[in-house]
Amino acid sequence: MKLAKGFGYLLQGAKLLAHPDLRIFVLLPLLVNIIMFAIGLGLLIFFVGGWMDDVVGWLPQWMSGITNLLWFLFAIFFGMAVFFSFNILANFIAAPLNGLLSEKVQQHLTGEDLGQTNFGALLASIPRSVGRELIKLTYYLPRVLLLLIFSFIPIANIIVPWLWLFFAAWMMAIQYVDYPMDNNGTSFRKMKKAVSNERFLHLGFGAGVSILLMVPAVNFFAMPIAVAGATALYVNEHKALQQAQNDLPIIHQ
C-alpha cells in the first residue's frame, strides 16, 4: 500500500541517522529544531489553552454534549498549526544544513558525490537555499490563510482539523522531498509534479512527519529524520526515473 510505503521511508530515515558517517551532519539541524520547537511548545502552552476555553464557551447550548470532542479537535488543529509553523521557520533557518544532510545521505545510499560538501560550497548554497524556501512559502501561505478563514466559519470550522491534517501531510512531503530534488537540480515546479504523480506515497510520508511533530520530545528529531527519509524516498522512487527522462533523445522537428 502506497501510504504505508511512504510512512516506511520515515522509519528508514531514522535508521540512517544512526550511521557513523552521517551523525556529524545531523547535529546542527537538530540543534536548530530543538530551539525552535522549544519556543513553539512554550507558546502553545502559554496562549492556546485559555483561547480554546473561550472558543468552546462561544458554542451554542445544543453543542454542549460534544465539548470534549471539540476540545480534542481544536487541540489537534492548534497543535498542528503551531508546530507546523515553527517547523517551516526551523527549515527556513536550517535550509543549507538540511541540504547538506540530504546530500550526505544520498552519497551514503548511492556512492555518488554531488561535490557540494566543502565549506565554500555550503556558503555559496545559502542564497539558493533561502530562495527555495521563499518559493515554498509562496506555495504554503495562501493555503494556510484559506484554512484559517474556514476556521472562523460556524459549522464549517468543525471539519477544519481534518483538512489541516491532510494539508499538513501534503506540505511536509513538499517540504522535505524538495531537499534532494533541489540538490539534484530539479525545479520546484517539476518537484511538485513528481510528488503529485505519486500522491498517496508522499501523503503517507508526510503524515508520518506530521505525527512526529505532534509527539513531545520526539518532534525535536523530526527534521533530520524527515530529511534523511525524504532522501531515501528520492533515491528509490524518483532518481532513476529522472535520469531516464534526462537520457531520452531530443527529437528535432
Side-chain angles (χ1 to χ4, degrees):
M1 187 178 180
K2 292 287 188 178
L3 287 172
K5 186 178 181 181
F7 187 88
Y9 279 114
L10 197 64
L11 300 178
Q12 186 175 344
K15 293 178 181 178
L16 283 168
L17 295 188
H19 194 279
D21 292 342
L22 299 175
R23 288 174 188 167
I24 189 171
F25 299 99
V26 175
L27 293 179
L28 286 177
L30 179 60
L31 180 60
V32 171
N33 209 39
I34 289 174
I35 293 173
M36 296 309 301
F37 272 95
I39 295 173
L41 182 61
L43 291 176
L44 184 66
I45 294 173
F46 187 79
F47 289 108
V48 173
W51 196 83
M52 287 202 308
D53 283 333
D54 293 338
V55 170
V56 173
W58 294 340
L59 296 175
Q61 185 65 33
W62 63 270
M63 296 184 70
S64 59
I66 58 172
T67 298
N68 289 336
L69 174 61
L70 292 177
W71 238 97
F72 174 72
L73 294 177
F74 280 129
I76 291 176
F77 168 68
F78 288 114
M80 287 299 297
V82 169
F83 289 128
F84 175 70
S85 299
F86 275 84
N87 180 258
I88 290 177
L89 185 56
N91 275 282
F92 193 92
I93 295 172
L97 300 172
N98 285 339
L100 178 60
L101 173 59
S102 178
E103 180 190 345
K104 296 304 295 182
V105 171
Q106 182 174 338
Q107 182 178 346
H108 170 71
L109 292 174
T110 66
E112 299 175 1
D113 186 358
L114 299 180
Q116 302 172 17
T117 54
N118 62 75
F119 183 70
L122 178 62
L123 289 178
S125 73
I126 292 176
R128 189 194 80 240
S129 298
V130 172
R132 191 81 166 203
E133 293 302 313
L134 289 173
I135 292 174
K136 293 178 194 176
L137 282 179
T138 63
Y139 182 74
Y140 298 155
L141 289 180
R143 292 159 176 82
V144 171
L145 292 175
L146 186 62
L147 277 177
L148 289 176
I149 291 172
F150 269 108
S151 68
F152 290 100
I153 300 176
I155 306 302
N157 57 13
I158 294 177
I159 68 170
V160 167
W162 308 107
L163 293 176
W164 186 264
L165 289 173
F166 175 85
F167 172 74
W170 182 248
M171 290 300 99
M172 290 299 96
I174 293 288
Q175 176 67 49
Y176 288 104
V177 173
D178 187 56
Y179 288 117
M181 289 281 193
D182 186 30
N183 281 345
N184 288 272
T186 304
S187 69
F188 186 75
R189 180 182 61 83
K190 290 183 178 180
M191 181 275 298
K192 286 191 301 176
K193 183 178 179 181
V195 171
S196 297
N197 287 340
E198 289 287 352
R199 190 177 303 272
F200 287 103
L201 174 71
H202 293 90
L203 281 174
F205 175 79
V209 178
S210 298
I211 291 172
L212 287 186
L213 293 178
M214 293 297 293
V215 180
V218 175
N219 54 18
F220 294 152
F221 300 89
M223 184 166 68
I225 290 174
V227 171
T231 305
L233 189 156
Y234 168 81
V235 169
N236 292 333
E237 307 291 340
H238 295 290
K239 188 173 185 294
L241 178 60
Q242 287 186 341
Q243 286 180 339
Q245 291 174 342
N246 292 336
D247 291 339
L248 287 176
I250 300 174
I251 300 176
H252 298 282
Q253 298 182 350

